[in-house]
Amino acid sequence: MHAMGEMLPDASNRVTLNHDLKDQWGMPTLKIDCEWKANENAMSQDILEIGKEIFEAIGVQNISANDNHQAPGLDIHEMGTARMGRDPKTSVLNEFNQVHGCPNVFVTDGASMTSSACQNPSLTYMALTARACDYAVEQLKRRNL
């Protein structure tokens, strides 16, 4: 059995530019600082215990449960790097996934969502994209973009 759970947003988990290490085109690479916190560790332990109980309840024998302690990011939907909100001081995008201060740029992937359950969020991304496109077309017709 393989189980996943939500990693809670935490300000100390971040992606920044690494100006000391450049890619083949001379652009800064990404530096990813991310680690499991107390909630994720407790959730992993709970998943192991509940999973074992489920197998025991259906008669499975010789059950072995372990946490492989894989690094964050190996089984994910990247999210939260361009938070949606009303205040440009605390968010990157407005309610239409439009970048505050740069009206011709829209970000419609998981970046606007700070958190998600473990279900695949693709339909939500599609809905955000459809709404952003509808808004962008309307703004283009009004010559606001």
Side-chain angles (χ1 to χ4, degrees):
M1 180 173 92
H2 176 82
M4 296 178 286
E6 177 186 13
M7 185 173 204
L8 296 179
D10 189 288
S12 66
N13 290 334
R14 61 185 63 223
V15 177
T16 56
L17 291 177
N18 182 348
H19 294 281
D20 297 326
L21 182 61
K22 311 279 183 173
D23 67 13
Q24 61 187 4
W25 298 280
M27 301 295 291
T29 57
L30 297 179
K31 180 180 179 194
I32 300 171
D33 293 307
C34 183
E35 66 180 5
W36 302 123
K37 305 291 193 276
N39 179 75
E40 291 75 39
N41 289 325
M43 183 174 43
S44 293
Q45 187 59 42
D46 188 55
I47 287 169
L48 291 175
E49 292 170 11
I50 297 298
K52 188 174 179 190
E53 287 177 18
I54 290 169
F55 284 125
E56 287 171 347
I58 62 172
V60 175
Q61 297 178 5
N62 300 319
I63 302 165
S64 174
N66 62 26
D67 182 349
N68 65 3
H69 299 286
Q70 74 180 25
L74 296 178
D75 211 3
I76 62 168
H77 297 287
E78 293 86 353
M79 306 181 96
T81 56
R83 178 182 295 241
M84 181 191 291
R86 292 188 174 98
D87 186 352
K89 293 178 183 174
T90 59
S91 60
V92 176
L93 307 173
N94 69 15
E95 67 271 24
F96 298 106
N97 291 75
Q98 182 181 35
V99 175
H100 293 297
C102 193
N104 64 334
V105 177
F106 291 81
V107 179
T108 63
D109 63 359
S112 66
M113 301 167 60
T114 59
S115 183
S116 171
C118 61
Q119 296 88 349
N120 189 314
S122 296
L123 291 175
T124 304
Y125 299 164
M126 291 166 52
L128 291 170
T129 301
R131 182 176 66 177
C133 289
D134 184 59
Y135 177 78
V137 167
E138 185 61 36
Q139 293 305 305
L140 283 167
K141 287 178 182 177
R142 294 180 182 182
R143 299 200 183 273
N144 291 336
L145 291 179

